[in-house]
């Protein structure tokens, strides 16, 4: 039992790797996940709107893109983009694997986020758009001002879940090769584990991942519960104060 504990919970190795995990690994992991989330959200919203188009020549390419990037394992996409485009991207980014890693993660995320947005937009009652059109709003204005904002609000928990997935998938950029200053959480833990033959550094990296993902998971549950139940009515609320919440 003591040997097992020493293999996974050697506090000397954990103390040794923790500064690098927090100063280098955590920052790089959040950079990879954050930029991928932003780019993936923009691409995903575009995919959702194309997928809802009445024009087949717009709708089908979006569906094919979504099927491909949802169907491929993440590591395959990362290697195809990170290694396949390395020669073309070298004049722009040099040998830095970060931009192509972010691009690959964004392509993967956009396929899932596009489906999330599409489901959210389709969940908005058709009466909302019909009322907007009756007021003289164009289709574009109706989508931008009425339908899309409501759809996004309804899928916020799912979007946070997708960010959690990006945090975890950022570890796969390791396969593109990273400099010491570019290492994310997994690479730092794995390097020391390989050097020492002890798994405690990887356990420490896992604990940092949990410190990111567990609070976000509870945040998702809290937001989802608030959206389902609505804002609680307080004793001092008046009808005028509650009216905006209903809308």
């Amino acid at each position: 039992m003591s040997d097992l504990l020493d293999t996974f919970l050697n506090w000397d190795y954990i103390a040794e790797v923790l500064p690098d995990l927090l100063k280098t690994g955590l920052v790089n992991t959040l950079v990879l996940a954050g930029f991928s989330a932003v780019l993936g959200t923009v691409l995903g919203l575009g995919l959702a709107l194309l997928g809802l188009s009445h024009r087949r020549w717009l709708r089908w390419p979006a569906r094919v893109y979504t099927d491909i990037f949802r169907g491929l394992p993440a590591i395959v996409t990362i290697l195809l983009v990170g290694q396949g485009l390395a020669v073309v991207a070298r004049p722009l980014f040099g040998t830095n694997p970060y931009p192509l890693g972010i691009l690959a993660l964004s392509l993967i995320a956009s396929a899932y986020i596009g489906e999330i947005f599409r489901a959210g937009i389709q969940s908005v009652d058709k009466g909302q758009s019909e009322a907007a059109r009756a007021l003289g709003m164009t289709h574009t204005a109706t989508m931008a001002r009425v339908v899309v904002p409501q759809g996004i609000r309804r899928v916020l928990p799912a979007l946070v879940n997708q960010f959690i997935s990006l945090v975890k998938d950022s570890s796969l950029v390791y396969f593109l090769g990273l400099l010491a200053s570019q290492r994310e959480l997994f690479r730092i833990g794995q390097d020391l584990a390989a050097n020492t033959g002890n798994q405690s550094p990887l356990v420490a990296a896992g604990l940092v991942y949990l410190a990111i993902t567990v609070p976000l998971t509870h945040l998702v549950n809290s937001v989802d519960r608030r959206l389902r139940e609505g804002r609680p009515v307080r004793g001092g609320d008046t009808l005028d104060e509650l009216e905006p919440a209903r809308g």
Side-chain angles (χ1 to χ4, degrees):
M1 186 64 179
S2 61
D3 289 341
L4 186 64
L5 287 175
D6 185 67
T7 299
F8 292 99
L9 290 175
N10 186 305
W11 296 107
D12 291 334
Y13 289 132
I14 291 176
E16 180 181 348
V17 77
L18 198 57
D20 277 345
L21 287 175
L22 298 178
K23 290 190 298 183
T24 302
L26 179 60
V27 173
N28 287 327
T29 293
L30 292 178
V31 166
L32 285 168
F35 279 101
S36 301
V38 172
L39 184 56
T41 299
V42 174
L43 292 175
L45 182 57
L47 282 173
L49 295 176
L50 290 176
L52 293 171
S53 174
H54 297 297
R55 296 179 175 87
R56 184 176 298 180
W57 62 275
L58 291 176
R59 187 172 66 251
W60 277 103
R63 296 302 307 157
V64 171
Y65 175 101
T66 300
D67 288 342
I68 289 174
F69 285 103
R70 291 183 69 188
L72 287 174
I75 185 58
V76 173
T77 301
I78 289 172
L79 289 177
L80 286 175
V81 173
Q83 296 180 353
L85 298 181
V87 176
V88 178
R90 189 167 296 163
L92 293 175
F93 308 122
T95 58
N96 186 355
Y98 259 32
L100 292 179
I102 290 172
L103 175 61
L105 289 172
S106 301
L107 294 176
I108 297 166
S110 65
Y112 290 94
I113 292 174
E115 287 298 279
I116 291 171
F117 278 141
R118 188 166 70 92
I121 292 171
Q122 288 181 320
S123 71
V124 177
D125 190 270
K126 291 184 178 180
Q128 299 280 334
S129 57
E130 291 172 356
R133 297 300 296 273
L135 293 173
M137 296 177 67
T138 64
H139 175 73
T140 301
T142 299
M143 292 295 291
R145 298 181 182 180
V146 179
V147 179
V148 172
Q150 291 186 67
I152 291 176
R153 182 187 175 193
R154 295 182 181 191
V155 298
L156 282 177
L159 291 176
V160 178
N161 273 328
Q162 188 58 44
F163 178 74
I164 293 173
S165 296
L166 277 173
V167 170
K168 293 183 288 187
D169 287 346
S170 66
S171 63
L172 298 174
V173 178
Y174 151 76
F175 289 98
L176 299 181
L178 298 171
L179 300 176
S181 61
Q182 297 172 331
R183 295 178 301 168
E184 33 64 52
L185 290 170
F186 168 75
R187 179 62 185 271
I188 291 175
Q190 194 271 344
D191 282 351
L192 188 57
N195 290 336
T196 61
N198 189 284
Q199 300 305 307
S200 300
L202 268 179
V203 171
L207 292 175
V208 179
Y209 277 117
L210 290 175
I212 301 171
T213 58
V214 170
L216 285 176
T217 301
H218 287 288
L219 175 63
V220 167
N221 294 336
S222 176
V223 171
D224 187 46
R225 186 165 56 251
R226 289 289 298 274
L227 291 177
R228 290 178 183 276
E229 297 175 356
R231 184 168 68 89
V233 179
R234 298 184 299 270
D237 284 338
T238 64
L239 182 61
D240 291 339
E241 290 173 336
L242 292 174
E243 193 63 34
R246 293 177 181 172

